[in-house]
Amino acid sequence: MAIIKKEQLKKIQRKATDIFNRTLDQHVTLAVTGLSRSGKTAFITSLVNQLINEGNNSHLSFFNPVHQGRFIAAKRVPQKNLHIGRFEYDASVASFCNEPPSWPKATNGISELRLAIRYKPKSSMLKYATDTATLYLDITDYPGEWLLDLPMLNQTYEEWSESTYALLQLEPRYSLAKPLIEKIKNIDPFAPVDEQLLADIANEYTQLLHTFRHEYGMSVIQPGRFILPGDLADAPILQFFPYTAFDDIDDNAYQNAEDNTLIGMLRARFVEYKERVVRKFYKEHFVNFDRQIVLADCLTPLNNGEASFNDLQHAITLILESFNYGQSSLFSRLFSPKIDKLLFAATKADHVTPEQHPNLVSLLNQLVYQTKHQLNYETIDMKTLAIASVKTTKVGTSLHQGQSIPVLQGRKADNDQLITIFPGTVPEKLPSSGFWDVNTFKYIEFKPQHIYGKHECLPHIRMDQAMQFLFGDKMK
Ligand SMILES: Nc1nc2c(ncn2[C@@H]2O[C@H](COP(=O)(O)OP(=O)(O)O)[C@@H](O)[C@H]2O)c(=O)[nH]1
Ligand SMILES: [Mg+2]
Protein backbone atom coordinates (compact mmCIF):
# COMPACT_ATOMS: atom_id res chain seq x y z
CA MET A 1 0.00 0.00 0.00
CA ALA A 2 2.74 2.38 1.05
CA ILE A 3 4.66 1.47 -2.12
CA ILE A 4 1.73 2.28 -4.37
CA LYS A 5 1.28 5.59 -2.67
CA LYS A 6 4.94 6.39 -3.18
CA GLU A 7 4.68 5.43 -6.86
CA GLN A 8 1.61 7.56 -7.31
CA LEU A 9 3.29 10.44 -5.59
CA LYS A 10 6.30 10.11 -7.86
CA LYS A 11 4.01 10.06 -10.88
CA ILE A 12 2.31 13.22 -9.76
CA GLN A 13 5.66 14.85 -9.11
CA ARG A 14 6.92 13.85 -12.54
CA LYS A 15 3.80 15.23 -14.16
CA ALA A 16 4.19 18.48 -12.27
CA THR A 17 7.84 18.70 -13.32
CA ASP A 18 6.82 17.98 -16.91
CA ILE A 19 4.33 20.80 -16.87
CA PHE A 20 6.90 23.11 -15.37
CA ASN A 21 9.52 21.98 -17.83
CA ARG A 22 7.22 22.56 -20.70
CA THR A 23 6.54 26.09 -19.66
CA LEU A 24 10.19 26.66 -18.85
CA ASP A 25 11.46 25.39 -22.17
CA GLN A 26 12.96 28.20 -24.09
CA HIS A 27 13.18 28.56 -27.79
CA VAL A 28 15.59 30.69 -29.81
CA THR A 29 15.88 31.00 -33.57
CA LEU A 30 19.47 31.84 -34.39
CA ALA A 31 20.25 33.01 -37.91
CA VAL A 32 23.78 32.77 -39.26
CA THR A 33 24.67 34.81 -42.29
CA GLY A 34 27.59 36.40 -44.12
CA LEU A 35 28.74 36.68 -47.71
CA SER A 36 29.84 33.50 -49.46
CA ARG A 37 33.05 32.09 -48.00
CA SER A 38 32.80 34.25 -44.89
CA GLY A 39 32.72 31.05 -42.84
CA LYS A 40 29.04 30.22 -42.11
CA THR A 41 29.36 26.48 -42.59
CA ALA A 42 32.52 26.39 -40.48
CA PHE A 43 30.83 28.45 -37.75
CA ILE A 44 27.72 26.29 -37.45
CA THR A 45 29.74 23.07 -37.61
CA SER A 46 32.01 24.33 -34.84
CA LEU A 47 29.14 25.59 -32.69
CA VAL A 48 27.28 22.28 -32.87
CA ASN A 49 30.50 20.32 -32.39
CA GLN A 50 31.45 22.30 -29.26
CA LEU A 51 28.01 21.98 -27.70
CA ILE A 52 27.32 18.30 -28.33
CA ASN A 53 30.82 17.32 -27.18
CA GLU A 54 30.92 19.66 -24.20
CA GLY A 55 32.99 18.10 -21.45
CA ASN A 56 35.30 16.37 -23.91
CA ASN A 57 38.03 18.98 -23.69
CA SER A 58 35.93 21.78 -25.15
CA HIS A 59 37.03 25.27 -24.23
CA LEU A 60 33.88 27.20 -23.46
CA SER A 61 34.78 29.01 -20.26
CA PHE A 62 33.20 32.30 -21.40
CA PHE A 63 29.88 30.56 -21.98
CA ASN A 64 28.17 31.02 -18.60
CA PRO A 65 26.16 27.79 -18.42
CA VAL A 66 29.44 25.88 -18.83
CA HIS A 67 31.48 28.18 -16.64
CA GLN A 68 28.91 27.92 -13.83
CA GLY A 69 28.65 24.14 -14.13
CA ARG A 70 24.98 24.27 -15.20
CA PHE A 71 25.38 22.88 -18.70
CA ILE A 72 24.12 19.28 -18.87
CA ALA A 73 24.16 18.15 -22.50
CA ALA A 74 23.17 19.11 -26.02
CA LYS A 75 21.90 16.91 -28.81
CA ARG A 76 20.56 17.30 -32.29
CA VAL A 77 16.80 16.81 -32.67
CA PRO A 78 14.65 16.85 -35.82
CA GLN A 79 14.36 20.36 -37.26
CA LYS A 80 11.17 22.37 -37.08
CA ASN A 81 10.63 23.33 -40.73
CA LEU A 82 10.55 20.26 -42.89
CA HIS A 83 10.46 22.19 -46.16
CA ILE A 84 13.89 23.74 -45.54
CA GLY A 85 17.08 21.84 -46.35
CA ARG A 86 18.95 20.20 -43.50
CA PHE A 87 22.29 21.62 -42.46
CA GLU A 88 24.72 18.81 -43.31
CA TYR A 89 26.45 18.62 -39.97
CA ASP A 90 27.71 15.03 -40.27
CA ALA A 91 29.33 15.58 -43.65
CA SER A 92 30.86 18.87 -42.50
CA VAL A 93 32.37 17.49 -39.32
CA ALA A 94 33.58 14.39 -41.17
CA SER A 95 35.69 16.57 -43.45
CA PHE A 96 37.75 17.62 -40.41
CA CYS A 97 38.16 13.97 -39.33
CA ASN A 98 39.40 12.82 -42.77
CA GLU A 99 43.07 12.22 -43.32
CA PRO A 100 44.14 14.67 -44.66
CA PRO A 101 41.49 16.98 -43.18
CA SER A 102 39.71 19.43 -45.48
CA TRP A 103 37.19 22.27 -45.26
CA PRO A 104 33.50 21.41 -45.63
CA LYS A 105 31.98 21.71 -49.10
CA ALA A 106 30.54 25.07 -50.18
CA THR A 107 26.76 25.51 -49.90
CA ASN A 108 24.48 27.85 -51.88
CA GLY A 109 21.18 28.24 -50.08
CA ILE A 110 19.30 28.06 -46.82
CA SER A 111 19.49 25.19 -44.34
CA GLU A 112 18.46 24.43 -40.81
CA LEU A 113 19.44 22.40 -37.77
CA ARG A 114 17.87 22.12 -34.32
CA LEU A 115 19.66 21.53 -31.03
CA ALA A 116 18.11 20.71 -27.66
CA ILE A 117 20.37 22.00 -24.90
CA ARG A 118 19.66 20.78 -21.36
CA TYR A 119 20.86 22.82 -18.45
CA LYS A 120 20.22 23.56 -14.79
CA PRO A 121 18.46 26.87 -14.37
CA LYS A 122 20.18 29.36 -12.16
CA SER A 123 17.42 31.53 -10.84
CA SER A 124 16.03 30.30 -7.55
CA MET A 125 12.42 30.19 -8.63
CA LEU A 126 13.27 27.88 -11.47
CA LYS A 127 15.67 25.87 -9.35
CA TYR A 128 12.92 24.71 -7.01
CA ALA A 129 10.46 24.15 -9.76
CA THR A 130 12.51 21.80 -11.82
CA ASP A 131 15.87 20.13 -12.05
CA THR A 132 16.52 20.81 -15.66
CA ALA A 133 15.30 23.00 -18.47
CA THR A 134 15.81 22.78 -22.21
CA LEU A 135 16.72 25.45 -24.68
CA TYR A 136 15.69 24.61 -28.23
CA LEU A 137 18.05 26.33 -30.60
CA ASP A 138 16.96 26.51 -34.24
CA ILE A 139 19.96 27.46 -36.33
CA THR A 140 19.40 28.78 -39.86
CA ASP A 141 22.23 29.24 -42.35
CA TYR A 142 21.43 31.65 -45.22
CA PRO A 143 23.56 33.60 -47.72
CA GLY A 144 24.34 37.21 -46.79
CA GLU A 145 24.00 38.04 -50.49
CA TRP A 146 20.24 37.69 -50.04
CA LEU A 147 20.28 40.71 -47.71
CA LEU A 148 21.99 42.79 -50.38
CA ASP A 149 18.70 42.65 -52.31
CA LEU A 150 16.66 44.53 -49.70
CA PRO A 151 17.16 47.98 -51.30
CA MET A 152 15.67 46.63 -54.54
CA LEU A 153 12.26 46.51 -52.86
CA ASN A 154 12.26 50.28 -52.84
CA GLN A 155 13.31 50.65 -56.48
CA THR A 156 11.59 50.50 -59.84
CA TYR A 157 13.26 48.53 -62.61
CA GLU A 158 14.48 51.79 -64.11
CA GLU A 159 15.95 52.99 -60.81
CA TRP A 160 17.61 49.64 -60.15
CA SER A 161 19.10 49.57 -63.67
CA GLU A 162 20.49 53.05 -63.18
CA SER A 163 22.04 52.37 -59.78
CA THR A 164 23.53 49.13 -61.08
CA TYR A 165 24.87 50.91 -64.12
CA ALA A 166 26.53 53.49 -61.85
CA LEU A 167 28.19 50.67 -59.89
CA LEU A 168 29.38 49.08 -63.14
CA GLN A 169 31.15 52.33 -64.03
CA LEU A 170 33.69 51.75 -61.27
CA GLU A 171 36.82 49.65 -61.63
CA PRO A 172 37.47 46.79 -61.57
CA ARG A 173 33.86 46.23 -62.63
CA TYR A 174 33.97 48.58 -65.62
CA SER A 175 36.67 46.82 -67.66
CA LEU A 176 35.00 43.48 -67.11
CA ALA A 177 31.47 44.72 -67.84
CA LYS A 178 32.23 46.85 -70.89
CA PRO A 179 31.50 44.19 -73.56
CA LEU A 180 28.17 43.37 -71.93
CA ILE A 181 27.18 47.04 -71.63
CA GLU A 182 27.94 47.45 -75.35
CA LYS A 183 25.90 44.38 -76.21
CA ILE A 184 22.91 45.69 -74.27
CA LYS A 185 23.19 49.05 -76.03
CA ASN A 186 22.88 47.34 -79.38
CA ILE A 187 19.64 45.49 -78.80
CA ASP A 188 16.24 46.96 -79.59
CA PRO A 189 14.41 47.11 -76.24
CA PHE A 190 11.00 47.48 -77.88
CA ALA A 191 11.32 44.51 -80.23
CA PRO A 192 9.22 41.43 -79.37
CA VAL A 193 11.04 39.49 -76.72
CA ASP A 194 13.52 36.85 -77.85
CA GLU A 195 13.60 34.52 -74.84
CA GLN A 196 16.88 32.96 -75.86
CA LEU A 197 18.61 36.32 -76.20
CA LEU A 198 17.27 37.37 -72.82
CA ALA A 199 18.44 34.11 -71.20
CA ASP A 200 21.87 34.44 -72.82
CA ILE A 201 22.44 37.99 -71.62
CA ALA A 202 21.14 37.14 -68.15
CA ASN A 203 23.58 34.27 -68.10
CA GLU A 204 26.41 36.56 -69.15
CA TYR A 205 25.46 39.02 -66.40
CA THR A 206 25.42 36.17 -63.85
CA GLN A 207 28.86 35.02 -64.98
CA LEU A 208 30.08 38.56 -64.55
CA LEU A 209 28.78 38.61 -60.97
CA HIS A 210 30.63 35.34 -60.27
CA THR A 211 33.83 36.87 -61.65
CA PHE A 212 33.40 40.00 -59.50
CA ARG A 213 32.89 37.86 -56.42
CA HIS A 214 35.28 35.01 -56.85
CA GLU A 215 38.12 36.47 -58.89
CA TYR A 216 38.13 40.07 -57.70
CA GLY A 217 36.78 39.60 -54.16
CA MET A 218 33.98 42.15 -54.64
CA SER A 219 31.15 42.00 -52.10
CA VAL A 220 28.25 44.01 -53.55
CA ILE A 221 26.53 41.51 -55.80
CA GLN A 222 23.02 42.26 -57.03
CA PRO A 223 20.74 40.41 -57.39
CA GLY A 224 22.20 38.21 -54.66
CA ARG A 225 20.26 35.12 -55.77
CA PHE A 226 22.02 35.14 -59.13
CA ILE A 227 25.20 33.73 -57.64
CA LEU A 228 23.55 31.85 -54.76
CA PRO A 229 20.28 30.64 -56.27
CA GLY A 230 19.37 28.06 -53.59
CA ASP A 231 16.53 26.03 -55.15
CA LEU A 232 15.91 28.60 -57.89
CA ALA A 233 18.85 27.65 -60.12
CA ASP A 234 17.87 28.07 -63.81
CA ALA A 235 14.41 29.41 -62.98
CA PRO A 236 13.24 32.15 -65.42
CA ILE A 237 12.66 34.44 -62.44
CA LEU A 238 16.46 34.73 -62.25
CA GLN A 239 16.70 35.61 -65.93
CA PHE A 240 16.85 39.36 -66.19
CA PHE A 241 19.61 41.98 -66.12
CA PRO A 242 19.95 45.74 -65.69
CA TYR A 243 19.11 47.66 -68.84
CA THR A 244 22.11 49.94 -69.09
CA ALA A 245 20.96 52.29 -71.86
CA PHE A 246 17.99 54.07 -70.27
CA ASP A 247 19.48 57.40 -71.30
CA ASP A 248 19.03 56.46 -74.96
CA ILE A 249 15.35 55.57 -74.88
CA ASP A 250 12.16 57.54 -74.69
CA ASP A 251 10.57 57.47 -71.24
CA ASN A 252 7.01 57.38 -72.57
CA ALA A 253 7.80 54.52 -74.87
CA TYR A 254 9.30 52.68 -71.89
CA GLN A 255 6.27 53.31 -69.69
CA ASN A 256 3.95 52.06 -72.41
CA ALA A 257 6.05 49.06 -73.43
CA GLU A 258 4.06 45.82 -73.30
CA ASP A 259 5.24 42.79 -71.34
CA ASN A 260 5.99 40.96 -74.58
CA THR A 261 8.74 43.40 -75.55
CA LEU A 262 12.27 42.82 -74.29
CA ILE A 263 12.26 45.77 -71.92
CA GLY A 264 8.70 44.97 -70.79
CA MET A 265 9.69 41.42 -69.99
CA LEU A 266 12.80 42.57 -68.10
CA ARG A 267 10.66 44.91 -66.04
CA ALA A 268 8.07 42.20 -65.36
CA ARG A 269 10.72 39.73 -64.21
CA PHE A 270 12.33 42.32 -61.97
CA VAL A 271 8.97 42.97 -60.28
CA GLU A 272 8.36 39.24 -59.99
CA TYR A 273 11.82 38.76 -58.46
CA LYS A 274 11.18 41.44 -55.86
CA GLU A 275 7.87 39.91 -54.85
CA ARG A 276 8.49 36.21 -55.10
CA VAL A 277 12.10 36.06 -54.09
CA VAL A 278 13.17 39.07 -52.05
CA ARG A 279 9.97 39.85 -50.19
CA LYS A 280 9.21 36.16 -49.73
CA PHE A 281 12.52 35.55 -47.96
CA TYR A 282 11.91 38.37 -45.49
CA LYS A 283 8.31 37.34 -44.86
CA GLU A 284 8.87 33.62 -44.56
CA HIS A 285 12.22 33.48 -42.84
CA PHE A 286 13.72 36.73 -41.70
CA VAL A 287 10.81 37.86 -39.53
CA ASN A 288 11.08 34.66 -37.49
CA PHE A 289 14.69 35.16 -36.43
CA ASP A 290 15.32 36.09 -32.77
CA ARG A 291 19.07 36.42 -32.89
CA GLN A 292 21.45 37.08 -35.77
CA ILE A 293 25.16 36.65 -36.30
CA VAL A 294 26.70 38.28 -39.37
CA LEU A 295 30.10 36.86 -40.27
CA ALA A 296 32.52 39.08 -42.12
CA ASP A 297 35.84 38.03 -43.57
CA CYS A 298 37.73 41.35 -43.41
CA LEU A 299 41.12 39.75 -43.99
CA THR A 300 40.64 38.53 -47.57
CA PRO A 301 39.56 41.99 -48.82
CA LEU A 302 42.46 43.51 -46.89
CA ASN A 303 44.73 41.17 -48.79
CA ASN A 304 42.98 41.86 -52.13
CA GLY A 305 43.42 45.63 -51.97
CA GLU A 306 41.53 48.88 -51.96
CA ALA A 307 38.67 48.17 -54.38
CA SER A 308 37.80 44.91 -52.67
CA PHE A 309 37.97 46.42 -49.20
CA ASN A 310 35.83 49.44 -50.12
CA ASP A 311 33.30 47.09 -51.63
CA LEU A 312 33.09 45.14 -48.37
CA GLN A 313 32.40 48.42 -46.63
CA HIS A 314 29.59 49.16 -49.10
CA ALA A 315 28.15 45.65 -48.64
CA ILE A 316 28.10 45.96 -44.87
CA THR A 317 26.20 49.24 -45.18
CA LEU A 318 23.62 47.50 -47.37
CA ILE A 319 23.40 44.52 -45.03
CA LEU A 320 22.83 46.80 -42.05
CA GLU A 321 19.67 48.13 -43.70
CA SER A 322 17.99 44.84 -42.81
CA PHE A 323 18.56 45.62 -39.14
CA ASN A 324 17.53 49.23 -39.29
CA TYR A 325 14.32 49.04 -37.30
CA GLY A 326 13.73 52.76 -36.97
CA GLN A 327 10.12 53.85 -37.40
CA SER A 328 10.76 55.44 -40.74
CA SER A 329 13.04 52.80 -42.18
CA LEU A 330 12.08 50.96 -45.32
CA PHE A 331 12.48 47.76 -43.43
CA SER A 332 10.10 48.47 -40.56
CA ARG A 333 7.51 49.78 -42.94
CA LEU A 334 7.58 46.51 -44.85
CA PHE A 335 8.01 43.90 -42.15
CA SER A 336 7.83 43.48 -38.40
CA PRO A 337 11.12 41.92 -37.49
CA LYS A 338 11.91 40.77 -33.96
CA ILE A 339 15.69 40.33 -33.81
CA ASP A 340 16.88 41.76 -30.50
CA LYS A 341 20.56 40.78 -30.57
CA LEU A 342 22.96 41.18 -33.46
CA LEU A 343 26.55 40.00 -33.41
CA PHE A 344 29.05 41.05 -36.04
CA ALA A 345 32.00 38.69 -36.05
CA ALA A 346 35.27 39.10 -37.91
CA THR A 347 36.03 35.51 -38.87
CA LYS A 348 39.30 33.65 -39.49
CA ALA A 349 41.06 35.51 -36.65
CA ASP A 350 43.51 32.58 -36.54
CA HIS A 351 45.08 34.18 -39.64
CA VAL A 352 46.60 36.95 -37.56
CA THR A 353 48.75 36.91 -34.43
CA PRO A 354 46.78 37.50 -31.19
CA GLU A 355 48.08 41.01 -30.54
CA GLN A 356 46.37 42.02 -33.83
CA HIS A 357 42.93 40.89 -32.63
CA PRO A 358 42.06 44.23 -30.99
CA ASN A 359 42.85 45.95 -34.31
CA LEU A 360 40.68 43.50 -36.19
CA VAL A 361 37.78 44.28 -33.85
CA SER A 362 38.30 48.01 -34.06
CA LEU A 363 38.43 47.80 -37.87
CA LEU A 364 35.17 45.84 -37.87
CA ASN A 365 33.68 48.38 -35.47
CA GLN A 366 34.45 51.13 -37.93
CA LEU A 367 32.92 49.17 -40.80
CA VAL A 368 29.77 48.52 -38.81
CA TYR A 369 29.32 51.74 -36.90
CA GLN A 370 30.17 54.18 -39.68
CA THR A 371 26.51 54.27 -40.62
CA LYS A 372 25.17 53.70 -37.16
CA HIS A 373 24.62 57.36 -36.42
CA GLN A 374 22.32 57.61 -39.43
CA LEU A 375 20.33 54.60 -38.45
CA ASN A 376 18.21 53.67 -35.52
CA TYR A 377 19.39 50.57 -33.76
CA GLU A 378 17.90 51.35 -30.40
CA THR A 379 15.92 48.18 -30.26
CA ILE A 380 18.86 45.91 -31.05
CA ASP A 381 21.72 44.98 -28.78
CA MET A 382 24.81 44.92 -31.00
CA LYS A 383 28.28 43.54 -30.42
CA THR A 384 31.45 42.90 -32.41
CA LEU A 385 34.01 40.11 -31.90
CA ALA A 386 37.00 38.56 -33.65
CA ILE A 387 36.60 34.78 -33.82
CA ALA A 388 37.94 31.65 -35.47
CA SER A 389 35.35 28.90 -35.74
CA VAL A 390 38.10 26.44 -36.56
CA LYS A 391 41.57 27.45 -35.50
CA THR A 392 44.20 26.32 -37.97
CA THR A 393 47.35 27.90 -36.58
CA LYS A 394 49.53 27.78 -33.49
CA VAL A 395 51.01 30.92 -32.02
CA GLY A 396 54.68 31.20 -31.19
CA THR A 397 57.52 33.70 -31.19
CA SER A 398 60.48 34.08 -33.45
CA LEU A 399 63.62 36.18 -33.45
CA HIS A 400 63.71 38.81 -36.16
CA GLN A 401 66.67 41.22 -36.32
CA GLY A 402 67.42 40.58 -32.67
CA GLN A 403 63.80 41.12 -31.60
CA SER A 404 61.26 38.60 -30.50
CA ILE A 405 58.13 38.80 -32.66
CA PRO A 406 54.89 36.80 -32.55
CA VAL A 407 54.44 34.32 -35.40
CA LEU A 408 51.92 31.77 -36.62
CA GLN A 409 52.55 28.20 -37.62
CA GLY A 410 50.18 26.26 -39.84
CA ARG A 411 49.91 24.01 -42.87
CA LYS A 412 49.32 25.64 -46.24
CA ALA A 413 46.03 24.56 -47.78
CA ASP A 414 47.44 23.96 -51.26
CA ASN A 415 50.55 21.87 -50.56
CA ASP A 416 50.32 20.87 -46.88
CA GLN A 417 53.68 22.51 -46.19
CA LEU A 418 54.25 23.50 -42.55
CA ILE A 419 55.15 27.18 -42.47
CA THR A 420 55.95 29.78 -39.82
CA ILE A 421 55.03 33.35 -40.72
CA PHE A 422 54.28 36.78 -39.43
CA PRO A 423 51.26 37.59 -41.61
CA GLY A 424 51.45 41.33 -41.02
CA THR A 425 49.50 43.95 -39.17
CA VAL A 426 45.81 44.78 -39.37
CA PRO A 427 44.97 48.49 -39.55
CA GLU A 428 43.02 49.74 -36.60
CA LYS A 429 41.04 52.23 -38.67
CA LEU A 430 39.46 52.24 -42.10
CA PRO A 431 42.50 52.51 -44.37
CA SER A 432 43.06 55.72 -46.28
CA SER A 433 44.32 55.58 -49.88
CA GLY A 434 47.99 55.89 -48.86
CA PHE A 435 47.69 52.73 -46.77
CA TRP A 436 47.40 50.49 -49.80
CA ASP A 437 50.88 51.36 -51.04
CA VAL A 438 52.45 50.12 -47.83
CA ASN A 439 50.03 47.34 -46.91
CA THR A 440 52.03 44.25 -46.00
CA PHE A 441 49.22 42.03 -44.87
CA LYS A 442 49.42 38.59 -46.41
CA TYR A 443 46.57 36.09 -46.35
CA ILE A 444 47.61 32.47 -46.70
CA GLU A 445 44.96 29.79 -46.79
CA PHE A 446 45.55 27.17 -44.12
CA LYS A 447 44.46 23.60 -43.85
CA PRO A 448 42.33 22.77 -40.79
CA GLN A 449 43.90 20.61 -38.10
CA HIS A 450 42.89 16.98 -38.06
CA ILE A 451 40.51 15.80 -35.35
CA TYR A 452 40.39 12.13 -34.47
CA GLY A 453 36.65 11.65 -34.57
CA LYS A 454 33.44 13.61 -34.48
CA HIS A 455 33.41 13.45 -30.67
CA GLU A 456 36.55 15.51 -30.45
CA CYS A 457 36.16 19.28 -30.15
CA LEU A 458 37.43 21.55 -32.89
CA PRO A 459 40.00 24.12 -31.74
CA HIS A 460 38.53 27.64 -31.87
CA ILE A 461 38.94 31.27 -30.84
CA ARG A 462 36.12 32.98 -28.89
CA MET A 463 33.28 30.70 -30.00
CA ASP A 464 32.27 30.66 -26.33
CA GLN A 465 31.95 34.45 -26.27
CA ALA A 466 29.82 34.32 -29.39
CA MET A 467 27.54 31.71 -27.80
CA GLN A 468 27.27 33.68 -24.57
CA PHE A 469 26.11 36.78 -26.43
CA LEU A 470 23.78 34.94 -28.79
CA PHE A 471 21.90 32.69 -26.38
CA GLY A 472 23.65 32.57 -22.98
CA ASP A 473 21.00 34.95 -21.59
CA LYS A 474 18.28 32.43 -22.44
CA MET A 475 19.87 29.81 -20.21
CA LYS A 476 19.69 31.60 -16.88
N1 LIG B 1 41.63 29.68 -40.98
C1 LIG B 1 40.30 29.68 -41.00
N2 LIG B 1 39.68 29.57 -42.17
C2 LIG B 1 38.32 29.54 -42.17
C3 LIG B 1 37.55 29.60 -40.97
N3 LIG B 1 36.25 29.56 -41.32
C4 LIG B 1 36.21 29.45 -42.65
N4 LIG B 1 37.46 29.43 -43.19
C5 LIG B 1 37.85 29.38 -44.61
O1 LIG B 1 36.82 29.97 -45.38
C6 LIG B 1 36.31 29.04 -46.33
C7 LIG B 1 34.83 29.22 -46.47
O2 LIG B 1 34.18 28.83 -45.29
P1 LIG B 1 32.66 28.34 -45.28
O3 LIG B 1 32.31 28.03 -43.87
O4 LIG B 1 32.41 27.29 -46.30
O5 LIG B 1 31.96 29.71 -45.75
P2 LIG B 1 30.42 29.97 -46.15
O6 LIG B 1 30.40 30.08 -47.64
O7 LIG B 1 30.11 31.29 -45.52
O8 LIG B 1 29.61 28.85 -45.59
C8 LIG B 1 36.72 27.66 -45.78
O9 LIG B 1 36.81 26.73 -46.82
C9 LIG B 1 38.05 27.99 -45.15
O10 LIG B 1 39.06 28.03 -46.12
C10 LIG B 1 38.27 29.72 -39.72
O11 LIG B 1 37.70 29.80 -38.62
N5 LIG B 1 39.63 29.76 -39.81
MG1 LIG C 1 28.29 27.52 -46.49
Side-chain angles (χ1 to χ4, degrees):
M1 187 68 175
I3 295 173
I4 292 171
K5 262 191 180 159
K6 213 171 168 184
E7 279 296 309
Q8 275 175 338
L9 197 69
K10 265 195 173 163
K11 216 171 171 182
I12 293 165
Q13 275 176 341
R14 222 176 297 136
K15 221 172 189 171
T17 316
D18 274 358
I19 290 165
F20 266 118
N21 273 345
R22 220 166 293 145
T23 49
L24 293 173
D25 281 352
Q26 298 258 25
H27 180 232
V28 172
T29 304
L30 169 65
V32 179
T33 198
L35 300 176
S36 60
R37 306 208 46 84
S38 59
K40 300 178 291 295
T41 303
F43 176 83
I44 297 173
T45 306
S46 176
L47 186 140
V48 174
N49 165 271
Q50 314 291 341
L51 289 173
I52 62 180
N53 296 318
E54 210 296 311
N56 189 15
N57 206 20
S58 65
H59 295 277
L60 300 179
S61 43
F62 282 95
F63 182 44
N64 285 349
V66 169
H67 177 67
Q68 295 162 351
R70 299 186 291 106
F71 187 96
I72 299 173
K75 64 173 185 186
R76 280 185 294 157
V77 291
Q79 70 192 60
K80 189 178 60 174
N81 298 308
L82 299 177
H83 62 289
I84 299 175
R86 193 156 49 112
F87 180 85
E88 294 291 346
Y89 174 73
D90 290 310
S92 291
V93 84
S95 65
F96 296 111
C97 306
N98 289 342
E99 194 61 274
S102 59
W103 290 100
K105 269 207 321 256
T107 44
N108 77 351
I110 187 163
S111 62
E112 228 183 62
L113 177 147
R114 176 179 255 205
L115 282 181
I117 311 174
R118 278 178 55 222
Y119 64 100
K120 291 197 191 84
K122 188 166 98 182
S123 83
S124 56
M125 198 200 87
L126 298 188
K127 200 155 94 192
Y128 293 116
T130 178
D131 286 327
T132 66
T134 305
L135 173 73
Y136 289 97
L137 188 66
D138 279 306
I139 307 173
T140 304
D141 171 348
Y142 73 93
E145 280 79 358
W146 294 3
L147 299 180
L148 297 176
D149 286 350
L150 180 74
M152 294 169 81
L153 290 180
N154 216 18
Q155 290 176 314
T156 62
Y157 175 62
E158 187 174 358
E159 285 164 345
W160 176 71
S161 292
E162 279 170 351
S163 65
T164 307
Y165 186 45
L167 191 66
L168 291 176
Q169 300 288 308
L170 303 173
E171 290 295 357
R173 288 188 174 87
Y174 185 65
S175 303
L176 298 159
K178 220 170 146 197
L180 183 65
I181 294 173
E182 282 303 310
K183 190 181 267 180
I184 295 174
K185 252 197 169 106
N186 289 327
I187 52 178
D188 176 2
F190 302 110
V193 65
D194 172 349
E195 291 248 18
Q196 193 54 48
L197 177 75
L198 195 148
D200 289 346
I201 300 181
N203 187 31
E204 231 173 285
Y205 180 66
T206 306
Q207 289 314 315
L208 198 57
L209 294 178
H210 277 289
T211 308
F212 292 161
R213 176 72 192 140
H214 300 297
E215 288 174 38
Y216 290 80
M218 307 312 276
S219 297
V220 179
I221 301 296
Q222 246 187 20
R225 284 295 189 308
F226 280 32
I227 67 165
L228 288 153
D231 54 6
L232 290 174
D234 300 323
I237 201 164
L238 300 192
Q239 286 171 355
F240 65 94
F241 50 87
Y243 183 69
T244 51
F246 264 104
D247 282 352
D248 305 343
I249 60 171
D250 177 59
D251 194 42
N252 258 339
Y254 168 68
Q255 299 301 346
N256 296 327
E258 305 266 342
D259 277 3
N260 60 4
T261 60
L262 184 94
I263 194 100
M265 176 76 90
L266 285 171
R267 182 176 55 202
R269 287 198 179 164
F270 173 82
V271 171
E272 195 80 350
Y273 179 84
K274 287 205 306 184
E275 292 306 314
R276 287 182 186 254
V277 180
V278 185
R279 198 182 296 275
K280 187 169 170 226
F281 166 70
Y282 281 95
K283 272 173 118 164
E284 279 188 8
H285 301 287
F286 197 88
V287 293
N288 299 320
F289 300 153
D290 302 308
R291 303 281 160 95
Q292 173 77 60
I293 177 168
V294 179
L295 303 173
D297 172 3
C298 304
L299 298 171
T300 306
L302 202 58
N303 187 63
N304 284 343
E306 189 170 8
S308 169
F309 190 84
N310 291 345
D311 218 57
L312 172 70
Q313 192 175 344
H314 185 182
I316 288 183
T317 311
L318 293 178
I319 286 174
L320 276 169
E321 271 300 316
S322 293
F323 305 99
N324 179 10
Y325 293 180
Q327 286 298 311
S328 58
S329 78
L330 161 69
F331 195 74
S332 298
R333 276 185 279 126
L334 295 175
F335 312 101
S336 348
K338 57 173 187 170
I339 291 169
D340 60 350
K341 281 189 150 205
L342 171 61
L343 178 62
F344 263 88
T347 52
K348 313 183 190 179
D350 57 323
H351 277 265
V352 293
T353 44
E355 85 293 346
Q356 299 295 321
H357 289 182
N359 277 11
L360 186 54
V361 174
S362 95
L363 183 67
L364 180 67
N365 272 334
Q366 293 221 337
L367 283 168
V368 170
Y369 292 104
Q370 57 180 342
T371 43
K372 197 186 171 195
H373 60 279
Q374 303 159 14
L375 307 173
N376 181 349
Y377 291 107
E378 274 150 31
T379 47
I380 303 191
D381 184 8
M382 262 169 91
K383 185 180 168 73
T384 46
L385 264 182
I387 64 166
S389 312
V390 182
K391 188 170 140 215
T392 59
T393 56
K394 291 199 169 78
V395 182
T397 52
S398 185
L399 270 183
H400 179 69
Q401 296 174 343
Q403 277 199 335
S404 168
I405 57 158
V407 288
L408 295 179
Q409 192 175 63
R411 288 193 179 276
K412 280 180 78 179
D414 50 356
N415 61 9
D416 208 27
Q417 189 196 348
L418 189 67
I419 53 163
T420 302
I421 52 154
F422 176 68
T425 53
V426 177
E428 169 190 20
K429 292 202 176 112
L430 295 178
S432 55
S433 289
F435 167 86
W436 299 102
D437 305 329
V438 293
N439 180 22
T440 54
F441 182 75
K442 201 161 166 25
Y443 184 94
I444 291 170
E445 212 171 297
F446 291 110
K447 197 165 254 185
Q449 291 173 37
H450 176 250
I451 55 168
Y452 290 93
K454 62 181 184 185
H455 299 301
E456 200 184 325
C457 291
L458 290 160
H460 70 87
I461 302 173
R462 294 189 200 93
M463 282 296 288
D464 47 350
Q465 293 191 32
M467 291 179 200
Q468 178 57 31
F469 178 78
L470 291 168
F471 52 87
D473 63 315
K474 294 281 184 185
M475 296 174 68
K476 278 189 188 146

